[in-house]
């Protein structure tokens, strides 16, 4: 399935071994500690979570922030496992939610999310996902909303504090857009949201997971009308369409915005291009998909990278072989109709604010741009 679109800080297994301390895993395996770490870093997330029960050292290791970072880095190199979150669309806006293991290209089975998370997840909308974390937004009333960060693989969820630096007029009558992504410059996960009173310039506030605080960014001219509630994350920035058929971009590293021209078909945003922002990578011909469809968009790629998973007309999933230009329907078991889908990467990324370099463990100091599997960095 598809990979994350974020550049992570690099590290080595020896760095992790130094953080753990010599002999930390001694007695838990006949393998040398550094070799054991190399093995565990290649184990998928679900088995690793079960391995936490092996011993206290293994549990501490798997819960270690540095281990989670290195594990994600290794996963991205070899195409990580992915899952799908499914939200039932209902008139009340509080439809049931499901998790789907993507273990087969032929058949997906949905399992309803348990009671422990139902209250927090009820009524939420998907803002976006990055490196295994999912951002959720819930409108409570006309003046208040809640934002959550959730790791579906570890089942951990965190409710974000509300911004306290927004003038009352914007809180009472303002509309908003929200975006979520990874700031590789500052090694931080961030949520950006706006407050638009329809009268003054648009206020921008940015949440930092590292500091657990909101800060104000430069205002946006109210002449720029952003279309859509939630931004698309790619290359350290968030993107929205605008009413004048341009693209609004917000850089999470420096908290500044700009406008870009709008492409057609399926395009890949270049990471380093200064002038030519877009490279065309794919067109899907209407004739290659049987029947009539109004809209489709890519949500993931297969392990081999040969097939693209398409979400068609809001209620169907299809694999598209871009080489043979053929499609194959996916059998959906237990899926509600109609429904929203969100594909996420399974990871061990923590929701705490501690960084790898200041993490303590029992007294011991403790190129992603190839096609869709490393991209669809901004697909329109």
């Amino acid at each position: 399935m598809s990979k994350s679109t974020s550049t992570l800080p690099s590290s080595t297994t020896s760095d992790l071994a130094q953080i753990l301390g010599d002999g930390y895993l001694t007695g838990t395996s006949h393998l040398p500690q550094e070799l054991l770490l190399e093995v565990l870093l290649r184990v998928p997330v679900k088995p690793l979570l079960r391995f936490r029960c092996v011993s206290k050292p293994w549990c501490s290791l798997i819960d270690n922030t540095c281990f989670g970072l290195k594990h994600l880095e290794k996963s991205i190199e070899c195409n990580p496992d992915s899952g799908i979150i499914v939200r039932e669309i209902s008139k009340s806006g509080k439809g049931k939610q499901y998790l789907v293991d993507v273990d087969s290209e032929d058949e997906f089975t949905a399992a309803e999310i348990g009671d422990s998370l139902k209250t927090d997840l009820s009524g939420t909308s998907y803002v976006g996902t990055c490196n295994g974390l999912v951002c959720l937004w819930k409108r409570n009333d006309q003046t208040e909303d809640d934002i959550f960060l959730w790791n579906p693989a570890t089942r951990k969820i965190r409710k974000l504090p509300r911004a306290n630096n927004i003038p009352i007029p914007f809180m009472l009558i303002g509309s908003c857009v929200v975006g979520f992504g990874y700031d590789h410059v500052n090694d931080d996960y961030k949520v950006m949201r706006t407050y638009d009173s329809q009268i003054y310039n648009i206020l921008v506030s940015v949440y930092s997971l590292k500091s657990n605080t909101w800060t104000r960014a430069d205002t946006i001219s109210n002449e720029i009308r952003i279309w859509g509630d939630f931004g698309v994350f790619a290359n350290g920035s968030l993107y929205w369409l605008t009413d004048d058929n341009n693209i609004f971009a917000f850089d999470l590293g420096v908290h500044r915005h700009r406008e870009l021209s709008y492409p057609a078909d399926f395009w890949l945003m270049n990471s380093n291009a200064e002038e030519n922002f877009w490279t065309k990578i794919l067109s899907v011909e209407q004739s290659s998909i049987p029947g009539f469809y109004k809209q489709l968009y890519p949500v993931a790629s297969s392990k081999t990278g040969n097939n693209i998973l398409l979400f068609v007309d809001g209620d169907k999933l299809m694999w598209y072989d871009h080489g043979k230009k053929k499609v194959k329907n996916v059998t959906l078991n237990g899926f509600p109709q109609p429904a929203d889908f969100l594909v996420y990467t399974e990871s061990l990324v923590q929701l705490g604010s501690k960084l790898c370099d200041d993490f303590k463990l029992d007294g011991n100091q403790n190129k992603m741009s190839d096609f869709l599997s490393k991209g669809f960095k901004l697909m329109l």
Side-chain angles (χ1 to χ4, degrees):
M1 302 296 288
S2 61
K3 298 183 181 180
S4 168
T5 59
S6 304
T7 302
L8 297 166
S10 61
S11 59
T12 64
T13 306
S14 59
D15 294 335
L16 184 57
Q18 289 179 355
I19 291 170
L20 291 172
D22 292 337
Y24 181 75
L25 296 178
T26 299
T28 65
S29 170
H30 296 295
L31 297 174
Q33 175 169 287
E34 191 163 323
L35 180 57
L36 178 58
L37 286 173
E38 286 287 356
V39 172
L40 292 177
L41 287 170
R42 287 163 172 77
V43 175
V45 170
K46 288 187 181 69
L48 275 177
L49 293 174
R50 295 195 294 269
F51 291 171
R52 296 173 73 254
C53 300
V54 170
S55 67
K56 288 184 177 179
W58 279 47
C59 182
S60 296
L61 169 66
I62 294 167
D63 288 344
N64 186 312
T65 305
C66 290
F67 180 85
L69 176 64
K70 184 62 181 175
H71 183 270
L72 177 61
E73 185 182 307
K74 287 286 186 182
S75 295
I76 289 171
E77 292 175 2
C78 56
N79 209 343
D81 290 332
S82 298
I84 300 176
I85 308 169
V86 182
R87 180 175 67 90
E88 178 185 23
I89 298 176
S90 65
K91 292 181 179 180
S92 67
K94 297 183 179 181
K96 297 178 181 179
Q97 304 213 34
Y98 303 78
L99 290 179
V100 181
D101 289 332
V102 186
D103 298 324
S104 167
E105 290 191 12
D106 299 318
E107 186 175 352
F108 295 166
T109 300
E112 186 177 352
I113 293 174
D115 293 336
S116 61
L117 289 170
K118 277 186 177 179
T119 300
D120 286 335
L121 297 180
S122 177
T124 58
S125 299
Y126 305 140
V127 175
T129 180
C130 179
N131 293 341
L133 297 185
V134 176
C135 184
L136 304 164
W137 179 82
K138 180 191 295 187
R139 169 69 79 179
N140 292 320
D141 54 41
Q142 293 300 315
T143 62
E144 292 187 348
D145 52 30
D146 289 324
I147 300 176
F148 300 85
L149 293 182
W150 175 37
N151 186 326
T154 63
R155 303 297 198 269
K156 301 296 184 181
I157 193 166
R158 178 171 183 165
K159 181 179 178 180
L160 306 190
R162 292 197 175 113
N164 57 8
N165 56 356
I166 306 301
I168 291 178
F170 290 88
M171 297 292 290
L172 294 177
I173 62 175
S175 60
C176 75
V177 299
V178 185
F180 168 68
Y182 176 68
D183 169 11
H184 63 274
V185 175
N186 300 294
D187 185 21
D188 198 1
Y189 292 90
K190 292 182 176 179
V191 177
M192 173 270 206
R193 65 162 299 166
T194 66
Y195 297 84
D196 184 0
S197 70
Q198 311 295 323
I199 301 173
Y200 309 104
N201 282 344
I202 302 169
L203 295 187
V204 180
S205 192
V206 181
Y207 171 81
S208 160
L209 180 61
K210 183 184 291 186
S211 65
N212 193 33
T213 58
W214 292 88
T215 58
R216 288 269 292 274
D218 292 341
T219 59
I220 304 169
S221 169
N222 59 12
E223 294 180 358
I224 298 176
R225 310 313 304 174
I226 300 173
W227 183 85
D229 293 328
F230 308 125
V232 175
F233 173 70
N235 300 330
S237 295
L238 294 165
Y239 300 88
W240 287 263
L241 298 179
T242 64
D243 283 351
D244 57 357
N245 292 323
N246 285 322
I247 295 173
F248 174 84
F250 183 85
D251 190 311
L252 290 174
V254 296
H255 296 182
R256 293 176 182 169
H257 61 269
R258 57 177 175 161
E259 285 193 85
L260 306 174
S261 59
Y262 180 76
D265 294 313
F266 290 137
W267 294 72
L268 177 69
M269 171 167 278
N270 297 322
S271 302
N272 302 311
E274 293 296 331
E275 297 180 359
N276 184 17
F277 290 102
W278 304 99
T279 300
K280 183 176 178 179
I281 60 170
L282 177 69
S283 291
V284 177
E285 298 176 4
Q286 172 81 50
S287 59
S288 64
I289 300 181
F292 175 79
Y293 63 87
K294 294 180 180 178
Q295 57 179 316
L296 60 83
Y297 63 86
V299 294
S301 69
S302 63
K303 280 282 189 181
T304 62
N306 295 327
N307 299 324
I308 303 164
L309 186 64
L310 300 176
F311 185 33
V312 183
D313 286 344
D315 61 2
K316 294 185 288 292
L317 287 172
M318 297 180 178
W319 287 108
Y320 177 70
D321 187 323
H322 57 88
K324 298 179 180 179
K325 299 190 182 302
K326 293 182 178 180
V327 297
K328 179 174 66 175
N329 288 321
V330 177
T331 301
L332 306 177
N333 297 322
F335 276 57
Q337 295 282 345
D340 283 338
F341 297 84
L342 180 71
V343 177
Y344 67 93
T345 298
E346 293 186 348
S347 80
L348 297 170
V349 172
Q350 302 285 337
L351 291 172
S353 57
K354 289 184 177 180
L355 297 177
C356 184
D357 57 6
D358 66 4
F359 191 82
K360 301 286 185 178
L361 184 59
D362 288 357
N364 296 303
Q365 179 67 28
N366 7 240
K367 292 246 174 159
M368 295 181 294
S369 60
D370 294 338
F371 188 45
L372 181 137
S373 64
K374 297 181 183 178
F376 271 125
K377 296 185 178 178
L378 180 60
M379 301 307 305
L380 300 165

